[in-house]
Amino acid sequence: MEMDGFIEPNSFDLIVLGTGFPESILAAAAANAGCSVLHLDHQDFYGAHWTSLTLPQFRTWAAAGGSFDPPPASPKEQDSGVSITSSGSVLESAGDLKSSDKSSADSFVDQSNGKVNEEISNPSAQDPREIGLETIEVKYDNDLYSDVQLREVEGADLGALRFYNLDLSGPRLTFCGSHLVNLLLRSGANHYVEFKGVDATYLWTGTVLSAVPSSRADIFKDKSLSLSDKRFLMRFFRLVTDHANGEGAEIPKETLDSPFVEFMRLQNLPASMQSIILYAIALVDTDQFDESSPYRLTTEDGFRKLTLYLSSVGKFTNAPTAFLYPLYGAGELPQAFCRSSAVNGALYVLRRPIKAVLVDKETSECRGVHTLNGQSLYCKKLIVGPSVVPTSGPEGGLPSLAKEISHSVDAPVEAASVKSSLGEAYTKVARYICITDKSLFEGQTTLLVIFPPKTISVNQSAVVRAMQLSNAAAVCPDGKYLLQLSTLCSDAADGEEILKTAVDILLARPDEQKSVTPETNEESYLSSSPKVLWSVAFKQALQTESKKLTRLGIAVCDLPNGALDCEGVLTATEKIFTECFPDTEFFKKVVRPQEDEFEEFDEEVEASAEEEQNTATDSLQKPVPAKDGDSKQQNMEGEALEEKALSEEEEKAKAEDS
Amino acid sequence: MSARKRTLLKVIILGDSGVGKTSLMNQYVNKKFTAQYKATIGADFLTKEVQVEDRLVTMQIWDTAGQERFQSLGVAFYRGADCCVLVYDVNVMKSFDNLENWRAEFLIQASPQDPENFPFVVLGNKVDVDGGNSRVVSEKKAKQWCTAHGNIPYFETSAKEDYNVDAAFQCIAKNALKNETEEEIYLPDTIDVTQNRPTKSSACEC
């Protein structure tokens, strides 16, 4: 067991610190491209800020005010005299989250006690300054979460706690037709994660939760829209599809750059559809009808999102809507990419905090890291998660991320709220998770509810999203449901209150009350509505600027953002990869090493002319490689058929109309 | 990886680096062995159809992909395992001592419903080395450990000589199948992005 031993070799093409979602994708992409990769995390679990926690883990995290417990100083470190002084900041957040794990981790440590002397004399522990490098101490930023409020309900039966997987960065979904699905297929990580399709999407109109049509056919059947509205819509969708395929009349650049909401207005789309397209399909985060907002979606981006949505609907059997959620929680995604990375040869070491980065004195470029247990590890490129912060720099100190964030948050409350009404300066995302005993809608387990801006209160400038999950997504025991909510916010109070109101709306379900059980009196209705059994509310700081360390040539990955989908995260991640490896394709499809290895075996076997009875049937079964082309084609066929059916229906409708 | 059809069994192989986990899998599934040791790179999982009594099941055997080296296997690796194979090298005492830790690690991470009765199988590998003269863990000692941990089935194997490998995996399959009862959360309608092909019916007609 090399649990606490030194890492061999000690030089890599790439070292990645932190196993968050972007970091894990980058490690997998580099390993996929044949780079030697070392992936370290100071925690004893995968996923960093993108992880999913069990209920006991979440309690521990919340009880610590939204941070992971410091790990116990391992006996080895004390014995070997490795300096842990002055690095209190490192230790502080180098957390051992799963307290239950400590026993097993410690017992592994004990095994390596005898190796101490050997390690100290390890040649890789040479003084890095000898080769022209200087060390810049780093700390792990532990102030990203605030206003953590845990509410336990006394006597509540939560079932088996081990079945809970609560996302720290939720709610988050992926489009069926998204780039993420592509990357999963190209990296091979698709073998390590499965998904649950979202059953339905609802939009809160201010008075009712109205089901969002999930396909063009649904829209066509929607009785709330007039036939002329439907025609405008059909024309609109055709316009978007044609534009995506490079067909139809060219749309002028100034139109593409103009706000999408104005374009839809010009296309005579009914206001209700505009709202659905913006908030439930394009998944924008902020008020689009506020003309002073700097965050208005352009027509071009609107087209892109709508095209993505249309290509997502019907892409997978069993996916009733355009959205997927990973089984066992969003924290499975980083792990899937890490395994793919490991399968391609990357080396994985958890519980390995670093103390400093090594910087070339002449070029000021990062050349490696120094671990807390005293090893220097060298690399050509260093990619770090958002919580790794250098405490000083060659030119007298770098601004730390934490400082910048707290600075903007420290702004006077009045100023912040004025800003937020202008749609500016979202510095935090408010998140809320609760466990309930009942589904919001009977018979549906996995639901998305969108509250567009100003539908909850007049000062709500950002979209609120709620996702309901159940044991169908393997995130809680049978009979329990999870609600995850989030919204962008600026000052401390406002996001929290808005989420609270949203939860009240969901649990009261005024529309259900009227339409489903008209005769029931209030009291018996209340007894049948979902009850909150446990809840936690917290805020997470948003990245203000992610290029802090470019001077040292260190790429820094983003914190989880406030978005519902992963598209923005993936774009930023791919950008980092391209900057680090300008000549390398991001997940090019290569023959996986595995296949090579078995060819080698084949040759050996043939050479020795051994027995040949083994048939190929039982041999290595690698699922058929991704057939992106195929599925796209079939999807296009599906669309064409749908298109045809709709046109027919439209004709029929026209005939009826006249 | 976990929403499996009833006939798909997930088996994971744990043990110290270099005890022969990958070799055992390859010998069993591919009937191939290479003496040249490479710390596992590129090994993922292998599948094999197995007849257990009157049932034909598919066994999916998961390698550690090298992530065991610094005890850095994530919880996702352990999810939904039907049987856990613990491997040590009969010539290396430490690899035997660490069985205790690997077992504990599995029970914590996988948190099976009934840890006392979860099926483990222990393999003492590399019995061929030096005609057995270099072995430091006796069969008796290994069997005692297995008995003390709830009568875990024990096999002495040689991936190199293909000794006892089939018998061991037959037992693994049988025990994995026994575990397959109510242990799993039943997960209907899950989506594997590999296998799904678009169908016309999905979203448009409901």
Side-chain angles (χ1 to χ4, degrees), chain A residues 1-2 8 46 101 107-108 162 190 192 194-195 314 332 335 339 343 350-351 598 602 618 620-621, chain B residues 1 26 29 32 34 41-42 44 46-47 63 69-72 76 79 94 101 108 111 191 194 202:
Chain A
M1 206 62 231
E2 300 174 67
E8 278 292 330
Y46 282 93
D101 270 6
S107 53
F108 275 103
R162 67 202 168 89
N190 58 309
Y192 320 130
E194 278 183 281
F195 294 88
E332 297 296 288
Q335 288 188 73
R339 182 170 166 96
V343 165
L350 298 180
R351 300 171 298 270
F598 285 103
D602 283 337
D618 281 343
L620 174 75
Q621 194 219 9
Chain B
M1 145 174 30
N26 280 333
V29 177
K32 287 163 191 171
T34 175
I41 290 177
D44 197 350
L46 302 175
T47 55
D63 202 345
R69 206 176 135 197
F70 290 93
Q71 208 208 345
S72 299
R79 290 199 198 286
K94 201 172 135 245
N101 298 323
I108 289 163
S111 57
I191 296 156
T194 327
S202 54

Side-chain angles (χ1 to χ4, degrees), chain A residues 1-9 44 46 98 100-101 103-105 107-108 111 115 162-163 165 181 184-185 188 190-197 214-215 217-218 221 313-321 324 327-328 332 335 338-339 342-352 471-474 476 592-594 597-598 600-602 604-605 611 614 618-625 627 630-631 634-635 638 641-642, chain B residues 1-4 8 15-17 22-23 26-36 38-50 58 60-80 93-95 97-106 108-114 162 183-206:
Chain A
M1 206 62 231
E2 300 174 67
M3 159 78 193
D4 222 37
F6 276 14
I7 294 162
E8 278 292 330
D44 77 338
Y46 282 93
K98 297 170 199 157
S100 53
D101 270 6
S103 56
S104 98
S107 53
F108 275 103
Q111 298 296 327
K115 298 203 319 197
R162 67 202 168 89
F163 286 129
N165 290 298
V181 171
L184 285 168
L185 291 167
N190 58 309
H191 303 309
Y192 320 130
V193 62
E194 278 183 281
F195 294 88
K196 171 79 180 83
S214 70
S215 68
D218 278 0
K221 286 179 209 153
V313 172
K315 180 162 168 113
F316 296 117
T317 330
N318 300 341
T321 63
L324 300 177
L327 290 189
Y328 298 104
E332 297 296 288
Q335 288 188 73
C338 286
R339 182 170 166 96
V343 165
N344 282 310
L347 185 55
Y348 275 81
V349 189
L350 298 180
R351 300 171 298 270
R352 189 61 59 103
N471 75 324
C476 57
R592 302 185 69 192
Q594 199 161 354
E597 197 162 332
F598 285 103
E600 247 175 64
F601 279 120
D602 283 337
E604 275 173 33
V605 167
E611 83 269 35
N614 323 301
D618 281 343
S619 69
L620 174 75
Q621 194 219 9
K622 275 323 297 173
V624 189
K627 286 187 185 160
D630 278 17
S631 56
Q634 286 187 40
N635 203 33
L641 284 168
E642 188 189 299
Chain B
M1 145 174 30
S2 307
R4 290 152 300 124
L8 186 61
D16 281 8
S17 301
T22 312
S23 295
N26 280 333
Q27 181 57 265
Y28 174 59
V29 177
N30 298 311
K31 296 284 167 217
K32 287 163 191 171
F33 178 82
T34 175
Q36 189 193 5
K38 293 188 233 175
T40 298
I41 290 177
D44 197 350
F45 57 86
L46 302 175
T47 55
K48 184 166 169 112
E49 305 244 296
V50 197
T58 305
Q60 199 174 58
I61 309 162
W62 286 72
D63 202 345
T64 51
Q67 284 174 302
E68 87 289 358
R69 206 176 135 197
F70 290 93
Q71 208 208 345
S72 299
L73 288 154
V75 64
F77 174 74
Y78 296 92
R79 290 199 198 286
M93 185 55 80
K94 201 172 135 245
S95 72
D97 292 340
N98 270 336
L99 288 184
E100 190 78 46
N101 298 323
W102 284 118
R103 181 177 170 273
E105 164 86 358
F106 175 84
I108 289 163
Q109 298 268 18
S111 57
Q113 194 145 33
D114 184 4
D162 195 9
E183 172 74 21
E184 287 305 302
I185 316 172
Y186 178 56
L187 299 168
D189 296 333
T190 60
I191 296 156
D192 174 346
V193 295
T194 327
Q195 281 151 16
N196 271 270
R197 287 290 173 263
T199 57
K200 195 181 157 279
S201 66
S202 54
C204 333
E205 280 160 15
C206 45

Side-chain angles (χ1 to χ4, degrees), chain A residues 202 209 434 436-445 447-449 451 466-469 481-483 485 502-509 511-512 516 525 528-531:
Chain A
Y202 293 88
L209 287 174
C434 70
T436 71
D437 59 354
K438 209 170 181 187
S439 175
L440 295 175
F441 291 95
E442 221 180 301
Q444 293 180 326
T445 59
L447 302 170
L448 174 64
V449 183
F451 298 84
M467 187 159 64
Q468 178 185 274
L469 297 165
Y481 294 84
L482 285 186
L483 279 176
L485 284 88
V503 173
D504 290 344
I505 289 168
L506 288 175
L507 297 183
R509 290 178 304 168
D511 51 327
E512 281 266 285
V516 180
Y525 172 72
S528 73
S529 68
K531 273 192 269 313

Side-chain angles (χ1 to χ4, degrees), chain A residues 97-362:
Chain A
L97 181 70
K98 297 170 199 157
S99 54
S100 53
D101 270 6
K102 281 173 189 160
S103 56
S104 98
D106 285 350
S107 53
F108 275 103
V109 173
D110 291 340
Q111 298 296 327
S112 59
N113 257 342
K115 298 203 319 197
V116 170
N117 291 336
E118 175 190 326
E119 278 165 14
I120 282 171
S121 61
N122 189 311
S124 67
Q126 64 180 277
D127 185 351
R129 271 164 297 198
E130 281 173 22
I131 46 173
L133 299 179
E134 73 176 310
T135 58
I136 298 177
E137 296 236 341
V138 299
K139 69 179 189 93
Y140 290 94
D141 192 338
N142 215 13
D143 303 323
L144 299 169
Y145 302 97
S146 58
D147 303 298
V148 182
Q149 292 172 54
L150 183 73
R151 288 211 173 78
E152 305 271 355
V153 176
E154 215 175 307
D157 171 22
L158 295 171
L161 302 187
R162 67 202 168 89
F163 286 129
Y164 286 99
N165 290 298
L166 310 176
D167 298 342
L168 204 49
S169 63
R172 200 168 296 269
L173 293 170
T174 184
F175 283 101
C176 296
S178 75
H179 196 36
L180 175 62
V181 171
N182 243 324
L183 294 186
L184 285 168
L185 291 167
R186 275 152 71 182
S187 65
N190 58 309
H191 303 309
Y192 320 130
V193 62
E194 278 183 281
F195 294 88
K196 171 79 180 83
V198 171
D199 294 328
T201 307
Y202 293 88
L203 194 82
W204 173 247
T205 62
T207 47
V208 290
L209 287 174
S210 122
V212 173
S214 70
S215 68
R216 283 171 289 191
D218 278 0
I219 291 170
F220 223 76
K221 286 179 209 153
D222 191 331
K223 295 202 169 57
S224 70
L225 294 167
S226 76
L227 277 167
S228 64
D229 283 348
K230 286 177 187 175
R231 245 173 261 135
F232 284 128
L233 261 175
M234 278 307 296
R235 208 169 298 156
F236 180 73
F237 282 142
R238 210 158 288 152
L239 192 74
V240 173
T241 320
D242 284 351
H243 179 73
N245 297 334
E247 292 163 8
E250 198 174 320
I251 299 166
K253 175 128 186 8
E254 62 248 49
T255 309
L256 290 175
D257 291 342
S258 69
F260 192 39
V261 60
E262 277 166 24
F263 182 79
M264 287 194 287
R265 217 175 273 154
L266 289 173
Q267 295 294 317
N268 296 310
L269 290 195
S272 63
M273 271 318 294
Q274 290 180 27
S275 200
I276 286 174
I277 289 171
L278 288 167
Y279 301 117
I281 290 177
L283 302 181
V284 290
D285 298 326
T286 57
D287 195 348
Q288 298 295 302
F289 295 95
D290 174 2
E291 284 175 20
S292 62
S293 165
Y295 300 125
R296 296 221 289 175
L297 186 74
T298 65
T299 301
E300 183 158 33
D301 287 342
F303 273 38
R304 214 169 29 78
K305 271 293 175 75
L306 197 48
T307 308
L308 172 59
Y309 183 87
L310 293 173
S311 74
S312 295
V313 172
K315 180 162 168 113
F316 296 117
T317 330
N318 300 341
T321 63
F323 304 110
L324 300 177
Y325 179 80
L327 290 189
Y328 298 104
E332 297 296 288
L333 289 172
Q335 288 188 73
F337 279 101
C338 286
R339 182 170 166 96
S340 140
S341 177
V343 165
N344 282 310
L347 185 55
Y348 275 81
V349 189
L350 298 180
R351 300 171 298 270
R352 189 61 59 103
I354 68 151
K355 199 182 164 200
V357 291
L358 307 175
V359 176
D360 187 312
K361 279 178 190 162
E362 282 183 11

